[in-house]
Amino acid sequence: TEHLLAARRAGRYARTYVALAAKAPDPPQGDWRSAIAIDPRERRKRLAGGVVSFILALSVLAILMATGTSRWWRLPLFLLFAGATSGFFQWRDKI
């Protein structure tokens, strides 16, 4: 990915955006020290999604434990915790 960052700095590489209604962002906008495909705005979205999913999963887990429901009802919470973990690691990922 270093060669892609060097090509971007030299002006030989530019992202192309395909969208029907959204306006393409200004290429020099933002801080491009992370992966080429994920800009800082997307990293913040992934962190927010991970945090919200984690808080929701913890809340549901607390409710299930407080009410004494069967342990099998806690099993689907794995999906929420996995989503939170994925969002966190995508946010944290660096080149």
Side-chain angles (χ1 to χ4, degrees):
T1 56
E2 288 299 321
H3 65 283
L4 290 175
L5 288 172
R8 182 172 176 79
R9 284 190 293 272
R12 295 186 313 261
Y13 172 81
R15 288 179 168 190
T16 56
Y17 292 90
V18 178
L20 298 175
K23 182 183 136 209
D26 188 19
Q29 176 184 15
D31 183 18
W32 296 97
R33 287 180 292 194
S34 61
I36 294 289
I38 302 174
D39 64 1
R41 201 173 8 186
E42 286 297 318
R43 289 183 71 221
R44 283 190 299 271
K45 286 181 189 176
R46 291 166 195 229
L47 176 62
V51 168
V52 167
S53 179
F54 184 70
I55 291 172
L56 179 66
L58 279 180
S59 302
V60 172
L61 178 64
I63 291 170
L64 289 176
M65 290 180 75
T67 59
T69 53
S70 173
R71 290 184 181 190
W72 291 105
W73 283 102
R74 298 181 207 161
L75 191 60
L77 288 178
F78 173 77
L79 297 174
L80 284 174
F81 282 115
T85 304
S86 174
F88 173 75
F89 282 122
Q90 288 178 18
W91 165 77
R92 192 187 69 135
D93 191 26
K94 298 267 187 190
I95 290 179

